[in-house]
Structures are given as structure tokens and as C-alpha cells.
Amino acid sequence: MKLFRLRSLLLPGGLLLAGGIATAQAPTAPDANKPAPPPAIRSFDLAAIDTTADPCTDFYQYACGNWVKTNPIPGDQVRWARSFSMLGERNRYLLWEELDAAAKSPASPLQKQFGDYFAACMNTGLVEQKGLTPLEPALKRIDALTDARKLATLIGDLATEGSPAPLFGFGVSQDDKDSTKQIAGVFQGGTSLPDRDYYIVDSKRFDGIRKQYVEHVTRMFVLAGDTPEKAAREAAAVMEIETALARAQTSRTDLREPENRYHIYTVADFQKLTPDFDYSVYFKAVKVRPFETLNVATPNFFKALNELIAKEPVDAWKSYFRWHTLHASATNLPKAFFDENFEFFGKTLAGQKEPTPRWKQCTSMTDRALGEAVGQDWVKNNFPPAAKQSMDKLVAALEKSLGDDIKTLPWMTDATKKAAEDKLAMIRNKIGYPEKWRDYTALKVDRNDLIGNIHRDAVFSRNWNLDHLGKPVDEKEWGMTPPTVNAYYDPSFNDINFPAGILQPPFFDFKIDPAVNFGGIGVVIGHEMTHGFDDEGSKYDGNGNLREWQTPEDRKAFTERTTCVADEYSGFEAAPAKGDTPAQKLNGKLTLGENTADNGGLRIAYMALLDTLAAEGKTINDKIDGYTEAQRYFLGFAQVWCQNQTEQSARQAALTDPHSPGRWRVNGSVQNFDEFGKAFGCAKGQPMYPVSSCRVW
Ligand SMILES: [Zn+2]
């Protein structure tokens, strides 16, 4: 449960995939009875290049154009990226092999546990046979609700048995202003569509989606046994409640400001804010240790929720909870529910053509539930000590570059430079996997009870999180499973985290020249480090506390520079106009942290490459395969981001994803870095080598 920990990731959470191997192998022949391994991915791909394009006009088109043309989106994907998706698919396949073997013949109690979890998910015959039976206890509780003022009891009871208990989030995390303390907090929630805009923006496109959503909710109720008339009434009530909740939610962009999500209340004052919902009943049900104060991240949401509890009839609330119970389990219910869920959430909302195959769904689900169990074997098999040593060296090279960069920043005063260097020196590096594995002994797994396993895992994970309350912070904990293809910076820990899953080709390849590795994993490391100094991370000091360490004049200069980046990216198009649907522009404020990190990462990895080449007696102008080291660096960087994406997914991401799409991660970054224009011999004033550009770090 990472409710308040708004960590800065390298790419959206939806692409978190599991598994991995350190060396690329040739694919084996597909076997009809088992999933086929995806092909190996080249770290540097001359065939991806569109040689008809001009790198100085549109570098993304040049570096990726031919790949984009020849790699259509597979039917079960909505975004297909050359590096992330292909590596993710490969890793997931390798993890599937591990889980499949553990399900058939486990060699240890741990393998039995995750093997059974996986096997229960794969047993679709049993899923059909059980129908809605596993949800009956929750549905009965909901049906027995007689008074909306007893919602706290209902939510508490649902949470106790691990059933979905929507409306808001509750968990423990570090205090933003004292990172040595772990405190309780509540967070807004309660909606099903991807963003509040889907409920409240007035446009033809969203009107259409809302209509289709209500029809989908209606059909789910009918599948659960309700008459069409009753189902339609219920769906209307769900839409009314969710729309009211969406209106009360703080927007994603406003949540980027840490002060907007930090409001310490005493429990008594919080209760006064919401007299119609008895939080003490809920806190008791989830068995959290007593506490006196908590962070009410978004007070306006909780005020509005209270008004809604007083206003909506009890039958509307019953419909709302009934919907969330069905919706949360839809992919693990009989096929009719699975298909109905896919038609709306997969096809209509994201443009996905075919459902995700069961083996992929179950592999990812097992990794999410038991990641530090499945990761143990994976690390043993696939993450050699030499890989960690190489990463330590690379990280040290990047730290030095960022330090040099800070020293030479033209806009920053010496006092603030000193503070920035202190913060940089305090960043902790976590590479590969945790030193101490999480203990899963208390999680009971039953090979014949898929939904029971999911519910028990929900309780297990919540207990694990709530147990942190009041305890000292464990700096060794990880927020990602070892086989994951992603990375993150955590402002409260002030640490950068690189799971073993991303430390392999095409990001990190022992067999390729340093220019390509610095363009790949080097930029990833620089990206995560720069997050400590982006619009959000820069508000925290080296100890992970929300505290201003820049002088007022430096903060002003910093904001002028981040505004330049935000305005620039707001001009980029995420999806072109289509029919009477207007073009969708990027939200430069929502993506500011990621764009700042991309720009900083590209600059400091380049500086680290120069140092490395100099130490080896080489120069940036040496050529391999017709390209200089500088050109290979920029091509290696750009080819990480080659992608195809459905129009629906691109529009959804523009509202919800703090990362820019591949094209702008590439072009936005290179056009802000003059070394790119020089490397490709561009003329000053060409699009990728503009006369004036934006720079923060
Ligand atoms: Zn990031």
C-alpha cells in the first residue's frame, strides 16, 4: 500500500513487469502448449533508424522511424515500446517458467507458496465452477446495510475479510516534515474511471465514455443476477456517487505540490470534519495501533464525502459497494464477467484489441503479491555480483557529473549550490534487490481458492504496512519487486532504486560500447538522481524532510526555469485531432518532474560518458559502424523510447501519466541540449538545435 508515497518512477506503473535475465538468448521454437519466449532485443539497432528523416528536424523519427513502422502493437497491448515492453515481455516469460515449474513440482516451502498462488489463478475451470460464490460474504454484508451512517462498520468489515473497501485510502508512511517518523494517513479515492476529468469534463468524447461506462456497470449488475431495470437504477446511483467523489478530488497536477497533500489533524478534529462517518470503528476493524494525529492528505475530499453520506439514500450506497465488489474481482470471475470488463476497460477505454492471456495475468499477479519471494530465485539465477559492481561504478560516475553540473550552474548562488551538493551526497543507492527479504510466512495460500488468496493477500499487505506505525524507518525496504523493469526515486528516503529487472540489455549490456550504455542505463540513473531536484523532489532536503533549502532568489530562478520546461512540453501533442475530437496536448505541469529528470539525466550521463572516454584515451568523435560516440549516445538514448500506442491509451495517458510519450521524451530532451545539435552537425535554428532552449539542471 503506497498511498502517499508519490514516488517518481521512470515509467508508468502500468508497465511494471516482472522477471528477467542478464543475457539475451536466441528464442526457442514456439510450442503450441506453452507461451513462446519473445525475441532478444538489440541494445543498439541500426535497423530501427529511418534514414530518410533528418535528425536535426525530428530526431525521434530518425532514431525510431523504421522500428515504429515495422513493429505494430500486439493485440494484447495498448503501448508497445522497443525497450520497456519487449524486455518486460521477455522477463515475464522467464518468470512464468519459474512459476510454472514451482506450481508443478515445488522444491521448497516458498516455491510451494508462490506455485500454489499461481496455480490457483491459472485454474479457470474452478473459477467458472465457483461463479460468484467467493464474493457472497461481501455481497451479503452490503445487502444488509440499513443506514448510510453505518458505512464505517461496513467498510471495516469488508476490510477485515480482505474484500475491496473503496471510498478512501488508509495507510502508514513517513511524515513529510519528519522523515524519521512513520504516521497514519488518509487519502482520497472511490472512483473507477482513470481520472476525475472522465467524470466532470464537458465534451463530446467524455459524454460518450460516461454513457458507455454506465452501460457497462448496468451489464455487470445484470450478470450478477439483477433485472435490467434494477441494474440501470443501480448504475445511475454508482455514477452519481462517483461523480460527486471525482468533483471533490484534488487534481493530479495539484497533488504534485507536497503542501497540497499534507494536513496534520488530531483524530478528534478529523472526526469533527466528518461527523457522519465514525473512523474509530474503521480503525479498530483494521487493527491499527492507536494514534493521536494523522495526515488528512485531502481534507476537502473528506468533507465532501461526509456531505455525500448524509445526502445519498442507503440504496444508492448499496449499489455503489456492490459495483466495487464486482469490479475489483472482474478479471478473476467467470469468463462472462472477465469479457464484459475487458470490453469496457480494455477495448473502449484503452483501445486494446485482445485480452491479456491468462498466463501473463497470473504471472504479474503472483509477482505483485509475492514479489520478494519469486525474486529470490530470480536474483540467484540472473543477477551476478559482477553486474552490481558495474552498476556501483556507473552510479559513482553519474554522481560526480551531477556534482560538477551543480558547481557550474550559471543561475544558482553559492549557498544554494552547497545545499544541493549536500543533498546529492546524501542520496542512497539501492541496486538489484533488498538485503533482507520480506517474510511471507503469515500469508496463507490455498491452491483451490483464487479470490480467497487475493483477499488474504490484501489483509497481509495492509497488516504489513500498518505495522510500520510509530516504528523506526527501515531504509532497506524496497518499493518495487526485484524482477521489475522500472526504477524510482523516493523523496522521503532520498534514495534511488534500480531493481535487477532493468539492469540488463538493452539498458545495460556488458558487450556494447560505453556510449550506448550511458545513453541507456546511464540516462536512467541520471534521471532518478535529477528527481531529487525536480519541481517536487527539490522541496525535500537531504534528510527527506519537506523543507526549503534554496534561497528565495534561487527558488525564483528555479521556478522561472521549470516554467520554461512546463510551457515547452504543454505545446507538444499527445494525440492528433480525429473527426470532431480535438487534438490532445500534453499537460506540461503534470509531466514537469519527469521532463526535468529526462533533461537532467541526458545532460549528466553525457558528462559522465566524456569522463569515461577520456579515462580510456578515447574521444567523443571516435566512430563505430559509421556513427561517432556522441551520435551513438543520443541514438542509444532515443531508442529506449521507440513506441507505438493506441489513440485511446495516448489520450488516457495525457491526463493520468506524469511521463511524456516516447516522441517527446526524446525530442523535448535533445532540443534542450546543445551537444545534440553539435553531434549531428545541425544548423543553429533547426528544430532540434533551437536558438534558445530550456534548462533547469
Ligand atoms: Zn521518473
Side-chain angles (χ1 to χ4, degrees):
M1 209 182 306
K2 298 294 180 299
L3 295 167
F4 318 106
R5 188 149 279 163
L6 298 187
R7 290 180 164 126
S8 301
L9 312 180
L10 179 68
L11 69 156
L15 283 177
L16 291 190
L17 296 166
I21 193 163
T23 53
Q25 300 166 345
T28 54
D31 173 339
N33 293 320
K34 66 172 221 175
I41 318 148
R42 286 195 194 97
S43 299
F44 186 80
D45 189 3
L46 289 172
I49 295 172
D50 175 1
T51 51
T52 67
D54 178 358
C56 300
T57 306
D58 182 348
F59 185 53
Y60 177 80
Q61 179 61 32
Y62 179 79
C64 293
N66 206 42
W67 186 93
V68 167
K69 202 169 80 185
T70 51
N71 286 273
I73 308 167
D76 67 339
Q77 311 278 332
V78 298
R79 177 188 287 201
W80 187 238
R82 199 190 79 92
S83 298
F84 285 105
S85 306
M86 290 178 72
L87 178 57
E89 286 296 299
R90 184 169 184 79
N91 290 357
R92 182 154 57 182
Y93 171 78
L94 291 160
L95 187 60
W96 169 81
E97 285 189 320
E98 189 187 303
L99 299 181
D100 188 54
K104 285 171 182 155
S105 52
S108 70
L110 205 54
Q111 285 189 5
K112 168 112 179 71
Q113 194 181 22
F114 63 72
D116 281 351
Y117 197 96
F118 176 74
C121 179
M122 288 301 289
N123 192 346
T124 49
L126 195 56
V127 167
E128 287 297 326
Q129 208 181 311
K130 288 192 179 185
L132 280 185
T133 314
L135 301 185
E136 286 306 335
L139 294 172
K140 276 193 188 135
R141 279 188 195 287
I142 293 163
D143 201 42
L145 184 71
T146 53
D147 179 353
R149 285 183 180 78
K150 297 216 171 103
L151 275 183
T153 309
L154 174 66
I155 294 179
D157 288 345
L158 291 172
T160 302
E161 60 198 25
S163 296
L167 274 189
F168 61 89
F170 172 64
V172 171
S173 63
Q174 280 159 281
D175 185 335
D176 255 358
K177 294 194 178 172
D178 181 356
S179 68
T180 63
K181 287 208 178 99
Q182 309 207 70
I183 60 168
V186 285
F187 202 78
Q188 66 189 22
T191 44
S192 310
L193 291 172
D195 188 79
R196 69 196 290 272
D197 279 8
Y198 281 72
Y199 294 91
I200 58 185
V201 166
D202 190 17
S203 76
K204 212 175 155 188
R205 177 169 171 264
F206 282 125
D207 282 347
I209 288 175
R210 285 191 283 265
K211 189 167 162 287
Q212 286 169 291
Y213 174 56
V214 172
E215 287 165 3
H216 163 65
V217 178
T218 306
R219 284 194 294 270
M220 288 287 279
F221 282 129
V222 170
L223 285 175
D226 300 344
T227 64
E229 296 71 32
K230 183 175 181 228
R233 269 200 315 278
E234 290 177 287
V238 170
M239 192 57 170
E240 187 174 311
I241 290 178
E242 290 195 353
T243 305
L245 294 173
R247 277 188 204 287
Q249 289 172 353
T250 303
S251 76
R252 286 171 199 273
T253 303
D254 288 342
L255 282 175
R256 285 196 62 74
E257 170 55 56
E259 292 286 358
N260 288 344
R261 48 176 205 256
Y262 186 79
H263 307 92
I264 300 294
Y265 278 68
T266 64
V267 173
D269 282 347
F270 177 44
Q271 193 58 71
K272 271 184 222 151
L273 189 72
T274 63
D276 292 308
F277 188 98
D278 189 348
Y279 283 91
S280 66
V281 170
Y282 171 78
F283 294 148
K284 204 174 153 201
V286 296
K287 298 188 185 70
V288 62
R289 278 190 291 277
F291 55 91
E292 272 158 30
T293 59
L294 78 167
N295 178 26
V296 180
T298 49
N300 287 338
F301 174 83
F302 287 91
K303 241 189 280 177
L305 173 58
N306 191 71
E307 285 160 23
L308 203 60
I309 289 170
K311 183 182 143 233
E312 287 290 337
V314 69
D315 278 350
W317 285 112
K318 282 157 83 163
S319 302
Y320 172 83
F321 281 94
R322 189 170 162 77
W323 155 248
H324 277 271
T325 302
L326 295 169
H327 174 58
S329 293
T331 55
N332 297 305
L333 289 175
K335 191 167 180 299
F337 290 90
F338 182 101
D339 289 348
E340 175 56 42
N341 181 67
F342 172 73
E343 280 299 315
F344 180 73
F345 281 96
K347 220 179 245 183
T348 304
L349 274 191
Q352 189 174 333
K353 289 197 178 70
E354 303 157 14
T356 308
R358 191 76 187 176
W359 70 269
K360 290 189 185 179
Q361 186 193 326
C362 295
T363 302
S364 297
M365 217 169 86
T366 310
D367 181 55
R368 275 198 298 277
L370 287 144
E372 291 191 19
V374 302
Q376 296 182 23
D377 283 348
W378 183 81
V379 163
K380 251 182 255 158
N381 296 335
N382 302 302
F383 192 65
K388 187 171 182 316
Q389 286 153 16
S390 302
M391 263 305 275
D392 288 340
K393 260 208 281 199
L394 275 172
V395 172
L398 268 289
E399 274 170 357
K400 180 183 172 298
S401 298
L402 182 50
D404 291 346
D405 175 66
I406 290 169
K407 280 192 195 82
T408 55
L409 276 184
W411 56 271
M412 194 177 258
T413 61
D414 288 343
T416 302
K417 279 182 182 174
K418 173 78 179 53
E421 285 169 29
D422 288 348
K423 177 167 184 181
L424 172 63
M426 290 171 82
I427 293 182
R428 273 190 304 270
N429 311 316
K430 296 202 313 226
I431 293 164
Y433 55 93
E435 285 173 34
K436 199 180 100 203
W437 299 104
R438 193 176 299 186
D439 179 2
Y440 291 97
T441 321
L443 174 58
K444 184 177 165 281
V445 174
D446 180 339
R447 199 178 172 91
N448 295 309
D449 187 9
L450 166 59
I451 288 183
N453 289 340
I454 294 169
H455 289 176
R456 281 185 291 274
D457 174 49
V459 174
F460 172 82
S461 302
R462 185 179 62 234
N463 288 346
W464 179 84
N465 171 263
L466 295 183
D467 187 49
H468 288 66
L469 184 69
K471 289 197 177 165
V473 172
D474 181 357
E475 286 154 359
K476 290 177 175 162
E477 263 172 19
W478 277 67
M480 267 178 192
T481 68
T484 301
V485 185
N486 207 333
Y488 70 92
Y489 170 79
D490 186 316
S492 292
F493 275 113
N494 192 28
D495 65 2
I496 49 177
N497 300 259
F498 306 96
I502 196 173
L503 303 178
Q504 52 194 310
F507 291 94
F508 184 41
D509 186 345
F510 289 117
K511 297 194 284 293
I512 199 115
D513 50 306
V516 176
N517 264 337
F518 276 93
I521 198 69
V523 176
V524 171
I525 299 167
H527 172 107
E528 298 306 336
M529 281 179 187
T530 308
H531 270 313
F533 304 90
D534 69 17
D535 60 316
E536 186 184 48
S538 69
K539 308 255 169 74
Y540 296 78
D541 66 16
N543 290 312
N545 293 325
L546 188 54
R547 183 185 68 84
E548 182 59 278
W549 49 267
Q550 299 198 31
T551 63
E553 60 176 314
D554 285 316
R555 177 58 72 181
K556 188 167 165 278
F558 176 86
T559 306
E560 274 165 24
R561 277 154 181 81
T562 52
T563 303
C564 177
V565 175
D567 291 346
E568 177 187 17
Y569 281 76
S570 287
F572 296 150
E573 204 169 79
K578 195 177 167 193
D580 52 6
T581 305
Q584 173 77 54
K585 289 274 176 67
L586 278 184
N587 176 347
K589 283 187 178 152
L590 176 65
T591 56
L592 178 55
E594 295 302 332
N595 298 330
T596 304
D598 280 347
N599 280 249
L602 186 67
R603 181 180 296 270
I604 66 170
Y606 186 85
M607 291 163 66
L609 171 64
L610 290 181
D611 287 349
T612 301
L613 290 174
E616 292 175 7
K618 296 178 187 158
T619 82
I620 200 81
N621 297 315
D622 294 349
K623 280 194 177 179
I624 302 176
D625 289 342
Y627 288 100
T628 65
E629 289 282 16
Q631 290 170 337
R632 288 174 70 84
Y633 169 78
F634 288 110
L635 282 165
F637 159 70
Q639 290 188 346
V640 164
W641 300 112
C642 303
Q643 68 164 57
N644 279 305
Q645 188 168 16
T646 65
E647 187 214 341
Q648 294 92 326
S649 161
R651 286 180 180 273
Q652 184 174 319
L655 298 180
T656 59
D657 188 352
H659 305 86
S660 298
R663 170 179 295 276
W664 303 119
R665 293 192 83 155
V666 173
N667 285 358
S669 303
V670 300
Q671 75 187 42
N672 286 332
F673 188 32
D674 280 357
E675 296 310 315
F676 170 81
K678 290 178 201 162
F680 281 87
C682 306
K684 198 79 186 162
Q686 284 192 280
M688 299 292 112
Y689 194 26
V691 176
S692 71
S693 58
C694 304
R695 176 181 173 188
V696 185
W697 297 101

